[in-house]
């Protein structure tokens, strides 16, 4: 495999296109544009391999290893990504046989992912980015300003994805570019409506000329990118959108009566109030929230993530490959200490996270807080086992410690009741240093 560099007619660098992906790519170091030629006549993907999944289910199965719950959201995203691959493949075939046939050219379906804070929106995107073999660029809408103003403009998103015109751009915190109510009378809404306007062209698909603004000296180089094959996944918490929906529902007497009736049924279906209201989401609600109609019109797929419930949070604590509990256990194990969470304690941690209304995002903070003193005192001491139980989670007293002198054989099971031989002591009875440590106060 070798890399070719070529200078285009108008002075900007252009590599010959990959026959399969129709892509060029930019070197991060020298920032020139190249193309990979492996001499195989062009049967390679952008990074030299074919997609390693045959259907959306396989993508979802990968997501399942990292993201708890959110069945609907994971299905929608897996399908969107899989269709993106199919579209690339079909449009490429169509391009190759353009003279012979008039097959349908598939257009992309951008996706909007909504859901409460800490429900897994960014996590889903990060997990997809890890697994996908198409270039995936993660961006934050809060940094964007309208072209010509101080800040990052929309074209810089495209520049970052220069490697491939068939990649995926994930734009997070997109609710932050809503039209600001204060800006309704002022046309210069550079961080809100202005950015939405700038995004319209990209979302739909067009050939844009982007400039490499990273170069301070000399003339900025220009690149032409076709965005029609870039899939956009937009995401945001849209705080307050549920109130916009409620207002719409209750503003009509028929709607109000229907909503009331469904609220009664809601108890049967175990939906939270938030999930119930969000299930009534309509395009107009997004517009009333501050997205401009043309922007909403370019995002045909909307998936709403749910509030994680107690059971989901317990699973989120323990099951994902890189779960909070697995991480903290590994940290203690590194110091020769076995860390044990009693089952009820995990449930209590989940309840605390729900109280704080921060979703799964709060779990790490709660666990860190419970074990703060232990992380400080236990390494390189005679403590061999630490047991987190309900009183420890509630902050009524510190976790229980087992010292190596008193430790009997342990089979490593989580449930203490399985191991009646273990002698456990409150921390204060065992260590002078730790005896004075107060139980951590709940923040
Ligand atoms: N469904 C989930 N399954 C497992 N862990 C989760 C889930 N949702 C969130 N988490 C945990 O919470 C952390 C924060 O989640 P994430 O960043 O995805 O939230 P978000 O939905 O993007 O929220 P925000 O709107 O505040 O950005 C993740 O890193 C992960 O540890
Ligand atoms: Mg997020």
């Amino acid at each position: 495999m070798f890399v070719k560099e070529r200078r285009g007619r108008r002075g900007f660098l252009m590599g010959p296109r990959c026959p399969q992906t129709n892509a060029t790519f930019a070197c991060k170091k020298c920032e020139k544009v190249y193309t990979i030629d492996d001499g195989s006549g062009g049967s390679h993907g952008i990074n030299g391999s074919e997609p390693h999944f045959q259907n959306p289910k396989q993508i979802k199965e990968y997501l399942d290893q990292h993201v708890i719950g959110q069945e609907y959201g994971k299905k929608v995203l897996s399908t969107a990504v899989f269709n993106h691959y199919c579209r690339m493949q079909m449009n490429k075939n169509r391009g190759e046989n353009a003279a012979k046939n008039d097959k349908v050219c598939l257009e992309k379906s951008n996706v909007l992912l909504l859901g409460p804070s800490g429900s897994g929106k960014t996590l889903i995107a990060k997990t997809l980015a890890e697994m996908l073999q198409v270039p995936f660029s993660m961006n934050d809408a809060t940094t964007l300003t309208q072209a010509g103003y101080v800040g990052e403009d929309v074209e810089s998103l495209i520049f970052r994805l220069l490697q491939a015109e068939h990649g995926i751009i994930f734009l997070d915190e997109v609710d932050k570019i809503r039209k600001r109510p204060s800006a309704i009378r002022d046309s210069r809404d550079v961080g809100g409506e202005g950015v939405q306007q700038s995004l319209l062209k990209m979302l739909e698909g067009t050939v844009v000329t982007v400039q490499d603004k990273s170069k301070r000296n000399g003339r900025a180089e220009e690149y032409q990118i076709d965005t029609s094959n870039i899939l956009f996944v937009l995401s945001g918490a849209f705080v307050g959108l549920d109130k916009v929906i409620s207002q719409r529902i209750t503003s009509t007497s028929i709607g109000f009566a229907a909503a009331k009736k469904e609220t009664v049924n809601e108890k049967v279906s175990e939906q939270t109030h938030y999930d119930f209201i969000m299930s009534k989401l309509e395009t107009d609600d997004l517009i009333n929230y501050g997205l401009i109609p043309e922007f909403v019109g370019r995002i045909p797929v909307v998936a709403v993530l749910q509030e994680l419930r107690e059971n989901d949070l317990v699973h989120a604590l323990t099951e994902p490959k890189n779960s909070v509990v697995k991480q903290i256990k590994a940290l203690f194990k590194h110091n020769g200490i076995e860390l044990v969470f009693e089952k009820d304690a995990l449930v209590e941690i989940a309840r605390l996270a729900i109280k704080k209304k921060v979703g799964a995002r709060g779990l790490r903070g709660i666990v860190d807080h419970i074990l703060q003193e232990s992380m400080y005192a236990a390494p390189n001491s005679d403590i061999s086992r630490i047991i987190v139980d309900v009183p420890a989670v509630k902050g009524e007293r510190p976790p229980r410690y087992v010292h190596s002198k008193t430790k009997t054989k342990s089979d490593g099971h989580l449930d203490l009741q399985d191991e009646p031989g273990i002698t456990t002591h409150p921390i204060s009875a065992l260590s002078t240093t730790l005896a004075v440590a107060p139980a951590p106060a709940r923040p």
Side-chain angles (χ1 to χ4, degrees):
M1 182 175 87
F2 56 96
V3 176
K4 292 176 185 168
E5 176 202 341
R6 223 176 72 188
R7 196 165 281 271
R9 262 175 295 139
R10 288 201 291 148
F12 54 86
L13 289 157
M14 275 270 296
R17 292 174 188 285
C18 162
Q20 177 166 9
T21 60
N22 198 29
T24 54
F25 77 97
C27 167
K28 278 189 186 139
K29 269 193 179 162
C30 75
E31 292 172 339
K32 288 177 180 170
V33 180
Y34 296 97
T35 181
I36 295 174
D37 183 347
D38 63 0
S40 67
S43 61
H44 57 282
I46 186 66
N47 55 7
S49 54
E50 289 295 323
H52 52 293
F53 41 79
Q54 271 107 41
N55 53 41
K57 267 189 199 160
Q58 288 178 356
I59 304 177
K60 184 177 166 289
E61 276 163 20
Y62 184 86
L63 286 176
D64 287 343
Q65 294 172 26
H66 300 266
V67 184
I68 301 296
Q70 313 304 10
E71 291 299 302
Y72 179 69
K74 287 188 291 192
K75 271 186 192 165
V76 169
L77 257 290
S78 307
T79 311
V81 168
F82 184 75
N83 287 348
H84 184 61
Y85 273 109
C86 294
R87 193 168 46 244
M88 290 306 98
Q89 196 63 38
M90 288 169 72
N91 287 350
K92 175 212 139 206
N93 293 343
R94 183 178 173 272
E96 281 172 1
N97 304 319
K100 283 183 252 156
N101 63 45
D102 56 354
K103 272 186 201 159
V104 180
C105 178
L106 295 183
E107 286 175 6
K108 59 181 174 173
S109 293
N110 298 318
V111 182
L112 175 62
L113 201 57
L114 317 163
S117 187
S119 59
K121 301 181 293 293
T122 308
L123 178 67
I124 290 181
K126 277 190 191 157
T127 313
L128 279 174
E130 269 167 30
M131 79 168 293
L132 292 180
Q133 297 192 354
V134 290
F136 193 104
S137 137
M138 302 245 330
N139 306 275
D140 197 317
T142 49
T143 61
L144 296 176
T145 57
Q146 199 176 331
Y149 290 86
V150 176
E152 199 175 24
D153 64 35
V154 169
E155 284 173 359
S156 54
L157 298 183
I158 308 292
F159 182 75
R160 238 175 273 142
L161 204 73
L162 195 58
Q163 302 91 307
E165 295 173 2
H166 68 307
I168 297 172
I169 290 186
F170 180 77
L171 188 57
D172 210 355
E173 313 284 352
V174 82
D175 47 338
K176 310 298 184 300
I177 55 165
R178 72 161 158 172
K179 201 155 89 180
R180 278 173 291 144
S182 59
I184 287 171
R185 266 163 275 120
D186 177 5
S187 57
R188 286 170 303 135
D189 185 11
V190 295
E193 187 178 355
V195 176
Q196 288 185 53
Q197 296 278 5
S198 328
L199 274 165
L200 295 180
K201 276 193 305 176
M202 320 272 175
L203 289 172
E204 196 162 57
T206 180
V207 176
V208 289
T209 304
V210 296
Q211 289 190 342
D212 176 4
K213 291 180 183 155
S214 61
K215 296 211 175 83
R216 304 264 148 153
N217 317 321
R219 270 189 58 224
E221 281 175 2
E222 285 186 339
Y223 303 93
Q224 286 193 312
I225 313 270
D226 183 357
T227 64
S228 47
N229 288 329
I230 295 175
L231 180 71
F232 282 82
V233 179
L234 313 178
S235 166
F238 286 77
V239 176
L241 180 60
D242 49 339
K243 293 202 178 69
V244 174
I245 302 170
S246 301
Q247 270 166 15
R248 172 178 55 78
I249 296 174
T250 50
S251 65
T252 61
S253 55
I254 299 170
F256 184 65
K260 241 184 154 180
K261 201 171 153 211
E262 286 195 54
T263 314
V264 175
N265 296 338
E266 180 195 332
K267 290 196 181 71
V268 182
S269 72
E270 278 190 5
Q271 268 184 324
T272 64
H273 182 69
Y274 173 89
D275 293 342
F276 167 71
I277 295 291
M278 290 303 282
S279 70
K280 306 285 168 212
L281 177 69
E282 287 179 7
T283 309
D284 278 355
D285 301 319
L286 291 170
I287 295 168
N288 289 335
Y289 188 82
L291 296 187
I292 59 175
E294 303 91 312
F295 189 83
V296 177
R298 283 162 173 78
I299 315 162
V301 183
V302 178
V304 182
L305 298 193
Q306 297 179 318
E307 264 183 340
L308 292 173
R309 276 158 269 174
E310 190 179 290
N311 199 28
D312 297 321
L313 290 171
V314 171
H315 287 299
L317 267 170
T318 51
E319 278 176 21
K321 277 198 162 169
N322 204 28
S323 76
V324 173
V325 164
K326 281 180 188 163
Q327 284 183 44
I328 197 121
K329 277 185 171 205
L331 181 67
F332 276 93
K333 196 175 171 198
H334 176 76
N335 291 308
I337 301 157
E338 186 191 9
L339 177 63
V340 175
F341 285 84
E342 287 185 355
K343 218 174 163 193
D344 293 350
L346 293 172
V347 174
E348 195 55 40
I349 293 171
R351 284 183 187 153
L352 274 176
I354 289 172
K355 243 189 238 166
K356 286 171 167 239
K357 293 193 185 341
V358 282
R361 187 192 293 289
L363 296 174
R364 170 172 298 280
I366 295 170
V367 170
D368 275 356
H369 184 76
I370 296 165
L371 289 161
Q372 182 56 56
E373 191 57 36
S374 312
M375 283 193 276
Y376 174 72
N380 205 18
S381 71
D382 65 347
I383 296 166
S384 58
R385 198 171 195 219
I386 299 175
I387 299 131
V388 178
D389 53 13
V390 173
V393 177
K394 287 185 169 169
E396 291 165 5
R397 59 162 172 69
R400 285 179 292 158
Y401 286 14
V402 180
H403 290 241
S404 43
K405 283 173 276 181
T406 58
K407 193 184 175 200
T408 57
K409 267 186 197 169
S410 156
D411 61 6
H413 275 128
L414 294 189
D415 195 347
L416 258 187
Q417 270 121 50
D418 291 342
E419 303 164 39
I422 286 185
T423 318
T424 60
H425 305 271
I427 193 170
S428 53
L430 291 160
S431 156
T432 8
T433 328
L434 297 173
V436 292
R442 280 276 130 246

